[in-house]
Amino acid sequence: MTGGSYAPAVLVTRPDGQADSLCERLEAAGFAVTRQPLLALEPVARLAPAQRRLIQDLDRFQHCIFISRNAVRFGLELFFDYWPQWPVGVACYAVGDSTAAALREAGLAVRTPGADMTSEGLLALPELAAVQGERVLIVKGEGGRQALRETLGSRGAEVDELACYRRVAPAIDGAALADRLARDAVRLILISSGEALANLTALLKPRETHKLADIALVVPSARVAEEAVAAGWQQPVVAANAADDAMLAAAQRWRSALGERE
């Protein structure tokens, strides 16, 4: 074990199929890992005609922004049905490294914000600074933040959104989840998104909160940390972003602080 003698139990909450790498790295670092997805993902089964036209008109856009790896997964499946070759002149953007990697795996060149893997970091790219009169397509899940659309619109861009998948809460019982946290002696829960946090809070809210007082959260941004505090979680640990490196580093930082206290 490379992470020291103390192996606290951590709960990883990423959707099925997206947690293996993080779990392996946590285990290699000396954590005892358990899993419970707090989000399930499904494609939008029937696109509205206006959404279908966005796919058909892809070559009329100058910029195409993928919000997440899931947007790449579900969005490219739709695009490649109509466009076997990505149209020339449509620049691809990714908010984070894993999203960028998925685009590169599909053979597409991609622009990223680098270290600041947020919507705000993407908006700081010079390619998106002067977009007056240009068309931007944002590929995303249903719902979510509107910062990209609003800011690019204020810069004079014509912005459309393709919502190609939806996030749904998994069919799990809150009481059973609380009992599992106690049985596995979970001390830390890794949260990768605001939606996952909302589902966790909704599941556990009916339970006696003092039973969860010793459980800490790692969250992917200051915004999600604010939501966690508002929901009653104590002093969440803020990772630099939701990528494996950042979540692991935050978990190790929490463990070091816990060791000092105990």
Side-chain angles (χ1 to χ4, degrees):
M1 183 168 59
T2 60
S5 58
Y6 179 45
V10 301
L11 181 72
V12 175
T13 63
R14 287 183 177 173
D16 282 332
Q18 300 181 22
D20 289 352
S21 174
L22 178 58
C23 290
E24 289 168 2
R25 296 188 63 180
L26 286 163
E27 288 170 347
F31 290 91
V33 178
T34 188
R35 307 186 191 196
Q36 175 54 65
L38 289 176
L39 281 176
L41 306 172
E42 57 186 32
V44 175
R46 184 181 292 275
L47 291 178
Q51 290 276 282
R52 180 76 50 189
R53 282 195 295 273
L54 295 177
I55 298 169
Q56 297 167 350
D57 292 346
L58 178 60
D59 60 338
R60 300 185 182 183
F61 289 87
Q62 286 75 47
H63 312 276
C64 185
I65 300 172
F66 291 84
I67 293 296
S68 66
R69 190 177 184 92
N70 297 313
V72 175
R73 171 189 168 194
F74 292 103
L76 288 187
E77 184 174 340
L78 294 171
F79 285 132
F80 287 158
D81 276 348
Y82 197 88
W83 298 94
Q85 296 292 323
W86 191 259
V88 174
V90 184
C92 289
Y93 301 81
V95 174
D97 280 349
S98 64
T99 307
L103 287 167
R104 293 188 183 106
E105 288 167 9
L108 299 177
V110 58
R111 297 169 170 85
T112 73
D116 186 7
M117 293 191 292
T118 63
S119 296
E120 290 73 20
L122 194 73
L123 288 165
L125 289 176
E127 296 94 331
L128 295 177
V131 289
Q132 177 72 39
E134 298 183 347
R135 295 192 68 185
V136 180
L137 181 60
I138 299 174
V139 186
K140 59 192 286 292
E142 291 182 344
R145 301 175 66 201
Q146 293 294 306
L148 278 173
R149 179 172 196 156
E150 292 171 357
T151 302
L152 291 169
S154 73
R155 295 174 182 177
E158 180 183 344
V159 184
D160 289 290
E161 294 181 336
L162 175 64
C164 57
Y165 69 97
R166 58 173 56 97
R167 310 168 187 86
V168 296
I172 57 176
D173 177 72
L177 176 59
D179 291 343
R180 181 180 178 189
L181 294 175
R183 183 181 68 250
D184 293 346
V186 169
R187 300 294 302 274
L188 183 67
I189 301 175
L190 274 58
I191 297 290
S192 296
S193 68
E195 292 92 342
L197 171 67
N199 288 343
L200 176 68
T201 301
L203 284 166
L204 298 181
K205 204 171 188 61
R207 306 292 293 175
E208 297 176 61
T209 54
H210 71 269
K211 293 181 179 179
L212 306 172
D214 289 335
I215 299 179
L217 298 184
V218 167
V219 296
S221 69
R223 175 181 61 84
V224 179
E226 291 174 1
E227 295 171 359
V229 171
W233 296 94
Q234 302 298 313
Q235 298 181 326
V237 180
V238 182
N241 50 66
D244 288 359
D245 286 346
M247 299 298 278
L248 175 60
Q252 290 174 316
R253 193 167 72 245
W254 166 83
R255 181 172 58 186
S256 295
L258 181 67
E260 292 172 2
R261 290 196 301 270
E262 296 184 350

